Amino acid sequence: MILPIRAFGDPVLRKTGKEIDENYPDLQQLIDNMFETMYEANGIGLAAPQIGLDLRLFIVDVTPLAEDEDYEDIAEELKDFKKVFINAEILEESGEEWKFNEGCLSIPDVREDVKRKSTILIEYYDENFVKHTETFSDIRARVIQHEYDHIEGTLFTDHLSALKKKLVKGKLTKITQGDVSISYKMRFPK
């Protein structure tokens, strides 16, 4: 089932997600719905708060990037990188900070450069509640950090300089009011 994505300004996007366990009702259905919703919106990541649930759950699928010439050197690693992250905890961020032009399904038509560390060490459970502790780098780390921010109540716009925040303020206000053209289902706060 395709779910409406919550738009900038929705209070759920500012909540810290609650941990869940393997007895969470209809967890696999929720995960399937999240993937379906993300694909419908042409996204590569989606967090539970973006569909109105303040849970520590997010998904990523960067396989479309394997076809992008910008990532040809890591295409092999990207082509099967589809994961579910439950109760994730970033244990360490390391490496050089690098800028990347980020966007978000909850903040359509706004893209800005965000600096993040290049490598992360993260602990999480997969959809079968198997615990993993893994290190990720490159665009995979970037996408995970972006989605992880969502379960912490943080948006990519929070990482912008004061000047950049002022420059996008008008666009963010329009999104909050539903004054945006999108091709996927959204729910607006006003």
Side-chain angles (χ1 to χ4, degrees), residues 24-187:
Y24 187 83
D26 302 316
L27 179 60
Q28 190 55 55
Q29 185 62 54
L30 172 60
I31 292 167
D32 292 345
N33 290 346
M34 287 178 69
F35 274 110
E36 192 176 346
T37 299
M38 180 182 74
Y39 294 141
E40 177 69 18
N42 294 313
I44 56 173
L46 186 69
Q50 292 180 275
I51 56 162
L53 300 172
D54 60 338
L55 304 175
R56 296 189 74 77
L57 165 65
F58 64 88
I59 59 169
V60 300
D61 184 352
V62 299
T63 57
L65 300 180
E67 304 296 318
D68 189 320
E69 62 186 35
D70 289 345
Y71 304 107
E72 61 190 1
D73 55 328
I74 57 169
E76 260 326 287
E77 291 90 341
L78 299 180
K79 72 179 176 113
D80 295 318
F81 197 79
K82 176 180 174 180
K83 289 188 174 288
V84 174
F85 293 81
I86 299 171
N87 301 337
E89 210 56 58
I90 290 181
L91 304 175
E92 184 181 326
E93 294 178 312
S94 59
E96 294 293 314
E97 276 195 341
W98 58 294
K99 278 187 186 179
F100 187 82
N101 195 258
E102 291 189 25
C104 180
L105 296 176
S106 293
I107 312 174
D109 298 336
V110 175
R111 295 194 66 84
E112 290 293 335
D113 288 343
V114 175
K115 284 184 183 177
R116 296 188 191 269
K117 298 276 189 176
S118 60
T119 302
I120 60 167
L121 175 64
I122 188 168
E123 186 175 270
Y124 68 97
Y125 292 90
D126 64 22
E127 63 274 24
N128 300 310
F129 270 84
V130 175
K131 191 174 190 177
H132 301 266
T133 304
E134 294 183 281
T135 300
F136 298 107
S137 295
D138 57 61
I139 193 68
R140 292 168 296 174
R142 168 74 55 164
V143 174
I144 292 167
Q145 287 165 314
H146 178 105
E147 298 309 325
Y148 181 84
D149 274 358
H150 277 297
I151 66 171
E152 292 291 323
T154 302
L155 300 171
F156 86 90
T157 50
D158 297 338
H159 295 284
L160 302 179
S161 68
L163 175 62
K164 288 278 188 179
K165 285 178 183 173
K166 279 184 184 175
L167 293 173
V168 300
K169 190 175 193 292
K171 285 184 180 179
L172 297 177
T173 300
K174 284 185 173 192
I175 292 167
T176 301
Q177 296 166 344
D179 184 10
V180 64
S181 177
I182 43 163
S183 63
Y184 51 90
K185 284 171 56 173
M186 284 197 89
R187 182 169 164 190

